[in-house]
Amino acid sequence: VAGIAKNYSATEIFFTDPDKHFPNKRAIINIIKDLRRVMFPRYFGDETPTGTNPEYFIGETLIRIEDSLRRQLKEALLFKGAENISEEEVETRVNEICKNFFEKLPEVQQAAFDGDPAAQSKEEIIFSYPGFFAIFVYRIAHELYTQNVPLMPRIMTEYAHSGTGVDINAGATIGEYFFIDHATGVVIGETTVIGNHVKIYQGVTLGALSTRAGQKLAGVKRHPTIEDNVTIYSNASVLGGETIVGEDTVIAGGAFVTESIPAHSRVSLASLKVNVRQPKKKPEETE
């Protein structure tokens, strides 16, 4: 006890300082859950919005979300700049962020049904597709990221990451009709730019060539640009801030791409052979 208590006084361990502010991780996750309920009613709760007056359900839920969001935004803003920002400035920023955020929600409310021929219905995608959920959370987190909200966007995307295996940084810019098939093991870096109607498969990495420079790379374009109508198959890696994959390109599974690809290309792997060896005798003959 004495040893741990002594460590509390170290500058590296600042969570015991009563003047430090932290957003609440559980509250932020509950905001995600409530937003999912209001955008996809009856899928994730027992609510039954009135057909003629859904505004009552929407309004009541959004009021609850706004109340929680305001409290977490205030904590996050004070965490980032507790010594340099006044309470009045925090309140002004919270009002501005909330206004912009709620105005964007109708655009965030989207689905990915047409991208998957295996899906039996849109309901199946909303209920059970991890890629759909990861993209949904990214869209919400991205709206806060673009307004320079600290901590909260990362908490949101890591919540989705932990449940789906899909790691989409909130800073990535992703267009319409983006779809991740068999979603797991996907990594999309902070400065990635993805166009419209892009489809990627499991294990794809859209990453940086090197991060050795650490914080010196903050704000630098270090992840690739994927233009419209590109398909990237499983376990392919596309790396580098100067790498541009032109529109209507298909990249084969397992490819390692570090240079730009012209539009309308087909990227495949060369010199890869599949060798199948059969036993000299059938198993039953060796018994």
Side-chain angles (χ1 to χ4, degrees), residues 25 34 64 84 103 125 131 139 154 164 179 187 228 276:
K25 184 176 181 180
D34 277 342
R64 183 172 65 251
N84 301 314
E103 285 178 351
I125 291 175
R139 300 283 188 195
R154 190 55 177 256
T164 65
F179 187 75
V187 177
D228 296 348
V276 179

Side-chain angles (χ1 to χ4, degrees), residues 64-83:
R64 183 172 65 251
I65 293 170
E66 182 183 18
D67 179 64
S68 181
L69 180 62
R70 282 182 173 276
R71 282 185 272 118
Q72 299 313 313
L73 284 172
K74 182 177 180 179
E75 293 297 312
L77 293 172
L78 288 173
F79 168 84
K80 185 69 175 180
E83 298 177 356

Side-chain angles (χ1 to χ4, degrees), residues 22 25 30 40 105 116 125-126 133 144 146 158 166 176 185 191 224 243 269:
F22 296 90
K25 184 176 181 180
N30 285 335
F40 307 107
L105 285 185
D116 186 12
I125 291 175
I126 295 170
F133 179 67
L144 297 177
T146 58
E158 286 301 329
V166 177
E176 298 178 346
T191 61
T243 302
L269 300 178

Side-chain angles (χ1 to χ4, degrees), residues 215-271:
Q215 288 298 313
K216 293 181 181 179
L217 293 174
V220 176
K221 178 80 163 72
R222 57 194 186 277
H223 304 99
T225 295
I226 312 298
E227 295 186 344
D228 296 348
N229 300 301
V230 169
T231 299
I232 305 176
Y233 284 99
S234 59
N235 299 314
S237 295
V238 183
L239 309 179
E242 296 181 1
T243 302
I244 300 174
V245 178
E247 64 178 352
D248 193 34
T249 289
V250 176
I251 297 178
F256 189 81
V257 178
T258 60
E259 297 179 357
S260 293
I261 306 297
H264 313 291
S265 297
R266 298 296 179 266
V267 179
S268 59
L269 300 178
S271 302

Side-chain angles (χ1 to χ4, degrees), residues 36-51:
R36 186 170 65 166
R37 287 177 62 245
V38 78
M39 292 184 182
F40 307 107
R42 297 185 65 191
Y43 285 92
F44 307 104
D46 57 1
E47 63 281 334
T48 306
T50 304

